Amino acid sequence: MNKICTFMKSDYDKQKMLLLPDISIPQGSDPRVATCRGKLQNRRSKLNQEINKELRLRAGAENLFKATTNRKLKETVALELSFVNSNLQLLKEQLAELNSSVELYQSDSTDAVMPMIPLGLKETKEIDFRDPFKDFILEHYSEDASQYEDAIADFMDTRQAIRTPLRDLSGISLLFRYYNQLYFVERRFFPPDRSLGIYFEWFDSLTGVPSCQRTVAFEKACVLFNMGAIYTQIGAKQDRSTAKGLDAAVDSFLRAAGTFRYIHENFTNAPSMDLRPEMLEMLVQLMLAQARECLLEKLDLQSKDNRSIDICLDLAQEAAHLADCYRQVHEIISTEAVHDYVPYSWISLVQVKKEYYTGMAHFYVASGVLHKEASQMSATTKDTLQFLHAEIASTQLDIRLPKDDAERRLLGRAHLRESLVLHEECQRQHRMCRELRGKQALAAVLRTAHKTALQAYADNENEDDFSDVLDPAQVQAATKFQLALTPPDFAQYRVNDLFRALGPIAIFSAKRHWTAPRLVQLHRGRTSDGFGFSVRGDAPVIVAIVEANSLAEFGGVKEGDFIVAISDKDVKWSSHDEVVTLIKNAGDSLSLKLVTPMDRNYLKQPTKSSKGSISTHSSSSGVSSGMSSPSGSMAQHKNRKGLNWIPFKRHSSSREGKDFFENVILR
């Protein structure tokens, strides 16, 4: 494997230049590296294809069964349906087994640690955007589509690359760049009133069932889901035997939870089960629980060498709180809307963790109560201990705060006994799940915890004392950690609009309409004073006033027209001053290309609602910041009236060009 990686880094660029000059792999994606995770994802892709094939066969058989009246044919179709359903069940079981392969995503550390639950990526099919985009550019924008072939190819290469992202920050960056590019592509090529015939098809991460939609929103949600999935894989891969690795794991799980919450809040009516609100909420709570688990491990790691009574009680409260978190996850995952779609090993592992950390809470309380300095507890420690035993049932040991050494030993043994019972229950549940039985790291963690609790109980056992038959009170949960979800930071990964040459996106977008570009040529004589029009605004400049009986009026210039070109120069992105300069330098002959907006009068001051409708997502993604728009440029004219408002009026004598204004239209 090392030899392969060395070849990739040193010689691949040279080979690519000689043999494959037209192929480039975007940063953050490398489909050639055959890692264990890559092989797993490849198997997932093949299973998705097989499931899709069986689903189509079943749909056809069901339609035939409903349509035919032939009894013998119905019996044959019914038999085929039973075979297809059996095959589907087997394929879904294989996919569930893949989703249960959590060990491939875990850290390479030799220390036995509790495994985390990562998510696999959603698979998608390749899409050819060339013909739909080129047709739309020609039809809607009236531009030469061949000039945008490179931009379309770059976009398609980026989408192809996101199918195999690396499991690191470069892979995350690639997905963010593609997501932000979708902001521009959606507004350029996907009008709200028609379809281009482009369908985005993605396979469910958990069930393998394909879903297909025409909306870019579905594509965005699936890309975000894969971002969250990679964050879970990064978090599970961290070395949790060090404080640095635990901090990185917490950050990754919080980012995953924030991503899933963002999908939940911003995308609705998803056709895929893994994007449904119930599933996303379960994933958010699961990632939060795993983040808390890492924080508990860090607290345990930092206090392992010198553990005081207070730290033991803090660990007990945190462990009890973590057990409550997993109890909530288990309640959500057991609901009908979620239970049938997640791997059984996930449900079993969540249940094991719930029992495990409840047992650890009792063990930590016992460690504090039986501590060598427990007879000299401070007032704060006594208050904490009373809080931990705040709720005592009639059948439980009625000791909130031990009064002497005998009660301390009695209370400590009761908690150790309860911890032993819970750890034995963990091992039983571990053996009950076929997928979990093969997880050696999990088995080692459970054995170690049980052995430690058993040894502590044996060290404090008194053969002549039979008073510890009552169970201790449940450990009250509390936490000092306040977790905050980390939503996707779109502004961190800014991209350039691949189709920027089409013009400012606030005007030249798929939802806006304008007339076909027309060429207007204005020629003035030596006795003429001006062209007779005024302009204002930036990118694009707009014709503000056309004087009556002027050259501009006779040439076909209209108030509200956008100037898109002067002579052979495209000015859709040009500033007011640049356009004015071009008009002045044109001399007595001016050639303009103009378009007339059909769905809005841009000379009127925009209302608050119209400003907000230009882009509802630019603030969160940051991909369109810095763009000019009519509303923004008109607001500027208010403050810079002397600079941006230049009427081309007739003068009685001088013709130095100072009075020439800029709006010219070509037809």
Side-chain angles (χ1 to χ4, degrees):
M1 188 61 173
N2 292 334
K3 293 181 179 179
I4 294 175
C5 294
T6 304
F7 169 76
M8 288 178 181
K9 292 181 180 179
S10 60
D11 299 334
Y12 180 73
D13 290 337
K14 185 185 296 184
Q15 297 295 326
K16 184 177 67 175
M17 293 285 292
L18 297 175
L19 302 178
L20 300 171
D22 58 335
I23 296 178
S24 62
I25 300 175
Q27 182 180 0
S29 172
D30 195 349
R32 300 159 296 143
V33 180
T35 62
C36 292
R37 186 188 67 88
K39 293 178 181 177
L40 191 69
Q41 197 68 26
N42 189 40
R43 287 177 58 196
R44 185 193 306 277
S45 177
K46 292 181 178 179
L47 280 175
N48 288 337
Q49 298 290 344
E50 290 293 327
I51 291 174
N52 186 28
K53 176 183 175 182
E54 295 295 333
L55 286 173
R56 295 172 67 179
L57 285 174
R58 186 175 69 175
E62 288 176 344
N63 291 335
L64 180 58
F65 185 83
K66 294 176 182 178
T68 185
T69 57
N70 188 301
R71 181 179 176 181
K72 187 174 182 179
L73 182 58
K74 274 199 170 188
E75 292 176 354
T76 304
V77 173
L79 182 62
E80 289 296 327
L81 272 174
S82 65
F83 283 124
V84 170
N85 288 329
S86 298
N87 289 338
L88 267 177
Q89 185 63 30
L90 290 174
L91 290 171
K92 289 184 177 181
E93 288 178 1
Q94 292 180 42
L95 186 60
E97 187 175 349
L98 282 184
N99 290 326
S100 303
S101 302
V102 295
E103 67 274 0
L104 292 179
Y105 299 94
Q106 306 304 315
S107 169
D108 296 328
S109 174
T110 56
D111 298 334
V113 293
M114 182 70 75
M116 296 294 179
I117 298 178
L119 289 174
L121 303 185
K122 292 172 70 70
E123 294 285 342
T124 182
K125 290 185 177 181
E126 188 175 358
I127 300 177
D128 190 347
F129 295 96
R130 285 187 289 261
D131 290 342
F133 279 13
K134 290 170 72 173
D135 291 345
F136 193 76
I137 289 173
L138 179 62
E139 173 192 344
H140 188 75
Y141 294 95
S142 302
E143 299 227 11
D144 183 6
S146 62
Q147 298 179 1
Y148 297 89
E149 288 181 351
D150 290 342
I152 297 173
D154 287 345
F155 179 70
M156 291 178 60
D157 289 344
T158 304
R159 190 182 190 278
Q160 180 68 15
I162 68 161
R163 300 176 66 188
T164 55
L166 295 176
R167 186 181 47 171
D168 54 23
L169 293 181
S170 64
I172 294 291
S173 175
L174 173 65
L175 290 170
F176 267 113
R177 294 199 306 272
Y178 177 69
Y179 183 93
N180 284 346
Q181 195 61 241
L182 285 174
Y183 166 84
F184 295 109
V185 170
E186 180 180 19
R187 284 154 180 75
R188 295 287 191 192
F189 297 103
F190 290 85
D193 55 349
R194 54 171 288 197
S195 170
L196 297 186
I198 297 175
Y199 291 88
F200 300 99
E201 184 171 5
W202 289 80
F203 294 91
D204 193 294
S205 172
L206 301 174
T207 65
V209 177
S211 299
C212 187
Q213 278 198 354
R214 294 177 295 182
T215 62
V216 180
F218 180 53
E219 177 90 344
K220 288 181 176 179
C222 293
V223 172
L224 283 174
F225 185 92
N226 278 359
M227 285 184 201
I230 291 182
Y231 277 130
T232 67
Q233 295 177 16
I234 294 175
K237 193 65 175 176
Q238 298 300 323
D239 181 5
R240 299 193 340 256
S241 62
T242 65
K244 182 179 179 181
L246 287 167
D247 287 338
V250 171
D251 179 70
S252 296
F253 287 129
L254 290 179
R255 289 183 183 277
T259 303
F260 294 136
R261 178 60 57 83
Y262 185 88
I263 300 173
H264 186 193
E265 293 176 349
N266 293 273
F267 298 92
T268 58
N269 302 321
S272 180
M273 187 59 217
D274 53 7
L275 296 176
R276 295 287 175 85
E278 301 86 358
M279 185 67 70
L280 291 171
E281 182 60 28
M282 184 276 293
L283 293 176
V284 169
Q285 298 304 322
L286 176 61
M287 295 307 129
L288 284 175
Q290 295 189 146
R292 286 196 177 278
E293 188 173 354
C294 294
L295 290 173
L296 176 62
E297 290 177 354
K298 182 180 179 181
L299 182 60
D300 180 73
L301 178 67
Q302 292 175 336
S303 62
K304 184 169 293 186
D305 297 332
N306 185 19
R307 189 167 292 174
S308 64
I309 305 175
D310 291 330
I311 291 178
C312 288
L313 299 183
D314 285 344
L315 285 168
Q317 294 178 89
E318 294 293 343
H321 184 75
L322 179 57
D324 279 348
C325 291
Y326 277 115
R327 184 177 292 107
Q328 294 174 10
V329 174
H330 187 262
E331 290 175 358
I332 299 175
I333 211 172
S334 300
T335 58
E336 184 178 357
V338 179
H339 182 273
D340 295 335
Y341 298 96
V342 297
Y344 177 68
S345 61
W346 288 17
I347 303 174
S348 299
L349 184 56
V350 167
Q351 196 166 3
V352 166
K353 288 190 175 188
K354 178 188 68 173
E355 301 294 341
Y356 173 80
Y357 286 109
T358 304
M360 292 304 299
H362 285 282
F363 177 79
Y364 288 132
V365 173
S367 300
V369 171
L370 298 173
H371 197 275
K372 59 184 179 180
E373 300 176 358
S375 58
Q376 302 174 355
M377 293 184 189
S378 64
T380 304
T381 304
K382 291 180 180 180
D383 291 341
T384 304
L385 194 57
Q386 283 185 316
F387 170 77
L388 288 173
H389 301 96
E391 298 180 5
I392 299 179
S394 58
T395 59
Q396 294 175 333
L397 188 63
D398 190 9
I399 299 179
R400 286 183 171 83
L401 184 64
K403 300 176 182 178
D404 51 30
D405 290 345
E407 286 194 354
R408 280 198 308 106
R409 286 194 297 272
L410 181 61
L411 182 60
R413 286 200 306 271
H415 279 291
L416 285 174
R417 180 175 174 275
E418 184 68 15
S419 177
L420 271 174
V421 172
L422 289 166
H423 285 312
E424 289 172 357
E425 175 64 15
C426 286
Q427 291 180 315
R428 186 191 69 82
Q429 292 178 357
H430 173 254
R431 292 191 298 269
M432 291 290 291
C433 180
R434 180 174 60 88
E435 289 83 3
L436 291 186
R437 282 201 299 267
K439 309 298 184 286
Q440 300 301 322
L442 176 60
V445 170
L446 298 182
R447 281 197 307 267
T448 302
H450 180 267
K451 183 178 179 180
T452 304
L454 182 61
Q455 184 62 45
Y457 185 78
D459 293 342
N460 291 276
E461 187 177 15
N462 187 348
E463 295 181 357
D464 299 328
D465 189 356
F466 300 96
S467 57
D468 57 344
V469 293
L470 294 178
D471 294 333
Q474 292 298 317
V475 180
Q476 294 299 304
T479 181
K480 295 181 179 179
F481 302 113
Q482 299 298 324
L483 300 184
L485 304 185
T486 306
D489 186 6
F490 301 103
Q492 184 180 353
Y493 303 91
R494 297 179 181 273
V495 297
N496 296 320
D497 183 6
L498 292 173
F499 303 93
R500 188 178 186 274
L502 292 174
I505 203 166
I507 302 298
F508 300 100
S509 65
K511 69 177 182 180
R512 304 292 183 190
H513 296 87
W514 53 89
T515 60
R518 63 188 188 278
L519 188 65
V520 173
Q521 294 183 342
L522 303 178
H523 304 278
R524 61 180 181 182
R526 297 187 177 276
T527 59
S528 178
D529 295 324
F531 295 111
F533 67 95
S534 301
V535 298
R536 69 180 184 188
D538 295 289
V541 171
I542 189 171
V543 176
I545 295 176
V546 177
E547 296 182 2
N549 300 321
S550 63
L551 284 175
E553 184 181 36
F554 294 143
V557 180
K558 302 176 183 177
E559 294 181 357
D561 283 346
F562 288 121
I563 302 179
V564 296
I566 298 178
S567 297
D568 295 329
K569 180 176 177 58
D570 189 288
V571 295
K572 290 193 288 290
W573 282 100
S574 299
S575 67
H576 178 274
D577 293 339
E578 290 171 344
V579 172
V580 170
T581 300
L582 288 173
I583 294 176
K584 290 180 178 179
N585 294 337
D588 295 331
S589 180
L590 184 61
S591 178
L592 302 174
K593 185 182 287 186
L594 305 175
V595 296
T596 304
M598 301 171 61
D599 49 7
R600 178 179 166 188
N601 184 358
Y602 290 91
L603 289 176
K604 293 183 178 180
Q605 288 288 348
T607 61
K608 291 182 179 179
S609 60
S610 64
K611 280 186 178 181
S613 64
I614 291 177
S615 173
T616 60
H617 193 60
S618 61
S619 60
S620 62
S621 67
V623 293
S624 65
S625 59
M627 284 190 168
S628 303
S629 66
S631 58
S633 60
M634 290 170 70
Q636 277 187 334
H637 303 323
K638 233 177 168 181
N639 300 326
R640 302 175 56 211
K641 190 176 290 187
L643 295 176
N644 290 338
W645 185 269
I646 307 177
F648 286 113
K649 294 185 177 179
R650 298 182 177 85
H651 283 250
S652 56
S653 56
S654 66
R655 294 179 57 259
E656 298 177 356
K658 296 180 181 179
D659 54 333
F660 291 89
F661 204 60
E662 53 182 340
N663 291 343
V664 181
I665 300 176
L666 303 179
R667 65 178 181 183

